[in-house]
Amino acid sequence: DAEITQSPRHKITETGRQVTLACHQTWNHNNMFWYRQDLGHGLRLIHYSYGVQDTNKGEVSDGYSVSRSNTEDLPLTLESAASSQTSVYFCASSETRTGQPQHFGDGTRLSIL
Amino acid sequence: RKEVEQDPGPFNVPEGATVAFNCTYSNSASQSFFWYRQDCRKEPKLLMSVYSSGNEDGRFTAQLNRASQYISLLIRDSKLSDSATYLCVVTSNYGGSQGNLIFGKGTKLSVKP
């Protein structure tokens, strides 16, 4: 069955370090998204991609970057981790751009000390 | 006005009760609407799409009122397993992000024996 997987599931790191969260989907979806979820804020869009070599900033993109070198993967990088980036991160994908539901990965719990 | 607004709850109901959640959205041009379910510390999962004519899936009924920019979810004969947070989701209609999903903060439901 097609799926979307995130790794690691949990990570603890220190401020200032570079961190990369992996997202891999086997749906062959062109559209991929990264969200963070914090209490009181719901899901907020960090970055998204509509296809290979395409990346776009979302609502809360500062301090994050993504790259899309193939259809299956959209890694999220925290260039210099800050305590404010402690959160649960979800990756998602969808088949088309125009309002299709998104399929989510299991999430990565990231703690920055 | 926030883009998607939901009553955060919690809604505490006994098994077998009927419960209704409401959601309002600000963008009159939104084209697609969904309800997602999120269990504690898990990823959001699509519960159902919401169609203009209203739609039903077993014990769940979703309705859309475009004139009032209002979406509802009705759960009949509540089960313990329905306990979760329910997210109202609409599509963005802003420029390059047209079609992306905007998530409400969610309404928490707790079904008690």
Side-chain angles (χ1 to χ4, degrees):
Chain A
D1 285 346
E3 60 181 4
I4 180 166
T5 55
Q6 293 183 233
S7 61
R9 294 295 310 278
H10 303 270
K11 185 169 182 67
I12 300 173
T13 191
E14 297 174 342
T15 55
R17 290 189 180 268
Q18 185 181 79
V19 178
T20 297
L21 309 183
C23 176
H24 178 81
Q25 52 98 4
T26 57
W27 295 91
N28 201 34
H29 287 165
N30 282 325
N31 310 306
M32 296 184 73
F33 308 85
W34 273 104
Y35 296 89
R36 61 177 290 176
Q37 188 173 35
D38 306 283
L39 279 175
H41 286 282
L43 283 160
R44 292 184 290 175
L45 184 63
I46 305 171
H47 280 286
Y48 57 100
S49 168
Y50 290 144
V52 176
Q53 301 303 330
D54 176 74
T55 61
N56 305 279
K57 294 182 179 180
E59 177 189 357
V60 290
S61 61
D62 286 350
Y64 302 94
S65 63
V66 292
S67 60
R68 188 86 181 273
S69 58
N70 58 52
T71 300
E72 295 81 17
D73 299 289
L74 187 70
L76 177 72
T77 298
L78 287 67
E79 303 293 345
S80 178
S83 56
S84 60
Q85 294 176 307
T86 292
S87 187
V88 180
Y89 291 85
F90 288 104
C91 179
S93 71
S94 67
E95 185 173 1
T96 68
R97 273 183 71 164
T98 52
Q100 287 295 305
Q102 294 174 9
H103 303 273
F104 282 79
D106 291 344
T108 295
R109 294 189 170 275
L110 178 63
S111 295
I112 300 165
L113 307 178
Chain B
R1 182 179 177 183
K2 295 178 184 175
E3 291 193 81
V4 180
E5 290 200 66
Q6 297 181 247
D7 181 342
F11 283 60
N12 297 308
V13 303
E15 268 187 296
T18 295
V19 61
F21 305 138
N22 302 318
C23 166
T24 58
Y25 60 96
S26 61
N27 186 350
S28 60
S30 291
Q31 294 295 318
S32 300
F33 309 88
F34 309 97
W35 283 101
Y36 275 69
R37 171 196 169 122
Q38 186 172 24
D39 293 290
C40 187
R41 301 173 78 85
K42 299 281 191 178
E43 76 276 20
K45 291 183 179 179
L46 178 67
L47 178 66
M48 58 196 302
S49 300
V50 185
Y51 302 118
S52 297
S53 55
N55 48 297
E56 189 173 305
D57 183 1
R59 298 181 292 108
F60 299 84
T61 300
Q63 295 203 319
L64 169 65
N65 184 321
R66 284 188 184 272
S68 301
Q69 294 176 212
Y70 170 98
I71 305 162
S72 66
L73 177 68
L74 183 76
I75 305 174
R76 291 181 299 278
D77 188 23
S78 299
K79 311 292 185 191
L80 296 176
S81 58
D82 293 334
S83 296
T85 296
Y86 291 83
L87 308 177
C88 175
V89 185
V90 306
T91 50
S92 166
N93 207 51
Y94 301 116
S97 69
Q98 186 173 7
N100 283 358
L101 301 184
I102 301 171
F103 289 78
K105 293 181 182 179
T107 298
K108 187 172 182 179
L109 171 65
S110 181
V111 181
K112 306 293 187 183

